[in-house]
C-alpha cells in the first residue's frame, strides 16, 4: 500500500528527502488539501484522499523527513531536534502546490502533525492558506502532572546532552492493534513504516516536542479559520487491548485538545466526534463518516 500513490521527492538542504503524495481530483479542482501525518505514521489513508477528491479537491500529503516513504537506510525514524526544521519540506510542498496551479489550499493534519502545522502557519502568515483542519492534535503530553512539569525539565536536559537516548521503546500496541487488519482493525499499512508499537521515543525528539508544546500553549496567532476535532473520550495507560479501545482515543487526552484549542488563533471551531479512535478517519465506518462530513460542512464556509 505504500507504493500505490503518485509521489514526488522533495530534496532537502541536509541531503535528506521528504516525499509529496498526490491524488488528483477528476476534472477541474475546486481547491487543494495538504495533509501532514503524525508520529510513527505516514500517509496511507486512500479513503480519505478519495473522499476529498470526490468533493473536487486535489489531495496532497507529505511524508516528512525520516518518516514513511522518506525513511532511508541509516535514518533514525521520525528523529528531529527542532520542529521548525520541518518548515523546509512544508514550504517546499506549498511551492509544489503553487506549481500545480493552486493559488490557495487547506492544511489538514493528525496528531503530531497537528502540533507542527499550527506552529508553521503561525510562522508563515503570508502563506495562501484558507483553513486548518486538525484531527486529534497533540497539544500536551498525555501523562500525569509530574511528568508534564518536573519531567519536562529532565526531558530538556537529557534531550540536549543525550539526544539519541531512548526514553521509551515505543508507545505500546493497543492503538496499532485497534486499526491494523491483522488484529482488530480494518486497515492495511506497511508495518516497517508504521509499527504497531510505534518507534522508540528519543530524548532529543521529545525535547523538540515539549518546546513546541510550550510555544503553542503560550498562544499562537494563526490567522486562518481552524477546525479541531477530537474523540468523545480517552482511554489512556491501558497495556492490553480491550473492545473499549475501538471507541476511544488511546494515545492522547482529548481534554488537552479542548483546553488548548483556543490558543491557536481567533477563529477556532471545536467538534467532538462520538466514539472516535485516535485517528478519527480510521474509526468505525459511521464514526469516520461523521468526522469527514464535519470537515465537509466546515469547508463549505
Amino acid at each position: 500500500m505504500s507504493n500505490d500513490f503518485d509521489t514526488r521527492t522533495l530534496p532537502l538542504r541536509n541531503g535528506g528527502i521528504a516525499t509529496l503524495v498526490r491524488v488528483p481530483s477528476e476534472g477541474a479542482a475546486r481547491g487543494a488539501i495538504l495533509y501532514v501525518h503524525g508520529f510513527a505514521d505516514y500517509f496511507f489513508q486512500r479513503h480519505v484522499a478519495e473522499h476529498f477528491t470526490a468533493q473536487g479537491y486535489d489531495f496532497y500529503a507529505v511524508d516528512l523527513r525520516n518518516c514513511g516513504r522518506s525513511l532511508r537506510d541509516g535514518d533514525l525514524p521520525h528523529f528531529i531536534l527542532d520542529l521548525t526544521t520541518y518548515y523546509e519540506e512544508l514550504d517546499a510542498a506549498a511551492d509544489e502546490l503553487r506549481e500545480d496551479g493552486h493559488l490557495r489550499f487547506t492544511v489538514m493534519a493528525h496528531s503530531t502533525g497537528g502540533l507542527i502545522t499550527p506552529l508553521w502557519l503561525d510562522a508563515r502568515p503570508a502563506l495562501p492558506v484558507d483553513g486548518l483542519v486538525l484531527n486529534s492534535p497533540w497539544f500536551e503530553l498525555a501523562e500525569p502532572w509530574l511528568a508534564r512539569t518536573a519531567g519536562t525539565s529532565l526531558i530538556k536536559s537529557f534531550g540536549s546532552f543525550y539526544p539519541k537516548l531512548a526514553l521509551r521503546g515505543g508507545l505500546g500496541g493497543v492503538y496499532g492493534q485497534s486499526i491494523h487488519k491483522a488484529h482488530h482493525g480494518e486497515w492495511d499499512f506497511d508495518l516497517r513504516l508504521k509499527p504497531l508499537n510505534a518507534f522508540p521515543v528519543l530524548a532529543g525528539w521529545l525535547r523538540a516536542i515539549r518546546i513546541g508544546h510550550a510555544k503553542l500553549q503560550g498562544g499562537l496567532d494563526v490567522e486562518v479559520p481552524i477546525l479541531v476535532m477530537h474523540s468523545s473520550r480517552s482511554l489512556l495507560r491501558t497495556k492490553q487491548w480491550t473492545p473499549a479501545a475501538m471507541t476511544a482515543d488511546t494515545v492522547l487526552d482529548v481534554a488537552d485538545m479542548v483546553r488548548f484549542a483556543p490558543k491557536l488563533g481567533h477563529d477556532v471551531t471545536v467538534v467532538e466526534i462520538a466514539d472516535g479512535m485516535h485517528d478519527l478517519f480510521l474509526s468505525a465506518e459511521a464514526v469516520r463518516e461523521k468526522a469527514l462530513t464535519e470537515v465537509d460542512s466546515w469547508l463549505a464556509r
Side-chain angles (χ1 to χ4, degrees), residues 218-268:
L220 304 180
D221 188 21
V222 178
E223 297 179 355
V224 301
I226 302 166
L227 173 64
V228 175
M229 298 191 301
H230 62 86
S231 175
S232 50
R233 68 189 186 99
S234 292
L235 180 65
L236 302 175
R237 290 178 283 282
T238 179
K239 296 183 179 180
Q240 299 295 326
W241 184 89
T242 68
M246 304 300 290
T247 58
D249 191 324
T250 56
V251 179
L252 298 179
D253 191 337
V254 299
D256 293 330
M257 303 173 200
V258 175
R259 176 185 175 193
F260 292 113
K263 297 288 188 177
L264 300 175
H266 67 279
D267 184 355
V268 181

Side-chain angles (χ1 to χ4, degrees), residues 10-57:
L10 305 176
L12 304 174
R13 288 190 293 268
N14 70 347
I17 63 166
T19 307
L20 187 67
V21 172
R22 179 175 181 262
V23 184
S25 61
E26 295 182 6
R30 64 187 287 193
I33 290 172
L34 177 63
Y35 179 97
V36 182
H37 61 81
F39 175 63
D41 204 359
Y42 71 105
F43 185 75
F44 64 90
Q45 299 92 327
R46 178 174 287 278
H47 67 287
V48 175
E50 290 178 345
H51 174 87
F52 290 107
T53 58
Q55 311 299 316
Y57 294 94

Side-chain angles (χ1 to χ4, degrees), residues 5-280:
F5 291 105
D6 172 37
T7 61
R8 306 175 189 175
T9 297
L10 305 176
L12 304 174
R13 288 190 293 268
N14 70 347
I17 63 166
T19 307
L20 187 67
V21 172
R22 179 175 181 262
V23 184
S25 61
E26 295 182 6
R30 64 187 287 193
I33 290 172
L34 177 63
Y35 179 97
V36 182
H37 61 81
F39 175 63
D41 204 359
Y42 71 105
F43 185 75
F44 64 90
Q45 299 92 327
R46 178 174 287 278
H47 67 287
V48 175
E50 290 178 345
H51 174 87
F52 290 107
T53 58
Q55 311 299 316
Y57 294 94
D58 283 348
F59 192 93
Y60 299 79
V62 60
D63 281 7
L64 301 167
R65 68 186 69 204
N66 304 332
C67 305
R69 299 166 183 82
S70 308
L71 189 62
R72 303 185 299 182
D73 289 344
D75 288 343
L76 281 173
H78 292 255
F79 186 63
I80 200 81
L81 292 174
D82 187 336
L83 295 183
T84 65
T85 305
Y86 288 133
Y87 297 177
E88 181 184 0
E89 52 258 56
L90 295 175
D91 289 344
D95 289 341
E96 289 287 324
L97 268 63
R98 282 193 289 270
E99 288 290 322
D100 285 352
H102 294 294
L103 300 182
R104 305 193 66 81
F105 60 94
T106 295
V107 177
M108 185 176 297
H110 168 58
S111 197
T112 308
L115 170 63
I116 296 165
T117 52
L119 295 172
W120 174 52
L121 295 182
D122 181 67
R124 301 284 192 273
L127 276 174
V129 171
D130 286 324
L132 173 63
V133 178
L134 301 182
N135 167 3
S136 302
W138 191 16
F139 294 158
E140 176 62 286
L141 286 183
E143 299 291 346
W145 177 82
L146 192 61
R148 298 196 311 268
T149 53
T152 291
S153 297
L154 292 174
I155 288 167
K156 290 182 177 179
S157 178
F158 279 115
S160 294
F161 294 103
Y162 308 103
K164 297 181 181 180
L165 175 69
L167 300 177
R168 293 177 63 176
L171 301 180
V174 171
Y175 177 60
Q177 293 170 27
S178 299
I179 59 175
H180 197 274
K181 71 173 189 177
H183 296 270
H184 305 282
E186 299 179 51
W187 312 103
D188 185 19
F189 47 86
D190 191 332
L191 293 174
R192 298 168 301 171
L193 307 182
K194 182 178 175 61
L196 294 183
N197 293 319
F199 292 109
V201 175
L202 303 184
W205 173 83
L206 191 54
R207 175 181 181 272
I209 292 292
R210 293 305 281 154
I211 291 171
H213 282 159
K215 182 170 177 56
L216 183 147
Q217 293 170 17
L220 304 180
D221 188 21
V222 178
E223 297 179 355
V224 301
I226 302 166
L227 173 64
V228 175
M229 298 191 301
H230 62 86
S231 175
S232 50
R233 68 189 186 99
S234 292
L235 180 65
L236 302 175
R237 290 178 283 282
T238 179
K239 296 183 179 180
Q240 299 295 326
W241 184 89
T242 68
M246 304 300 290
T247 58
D249 191 324
T250 56
V251 179
L252 298 179
D253 191 337
V254 299
D256 293 330
M257 303 173 200
V258 175
R259 176 185 175 193
F260 292 113
K263 297 288 188 177
L264 300 175
H266 67 279
D267 184 355
V268 181
T269 301
V270 181
V271 174
E272 177 180 292
I273 304 297
D275 298 329
M277 289 197 287
H278 178 51
D279 188 335
L280 299 167

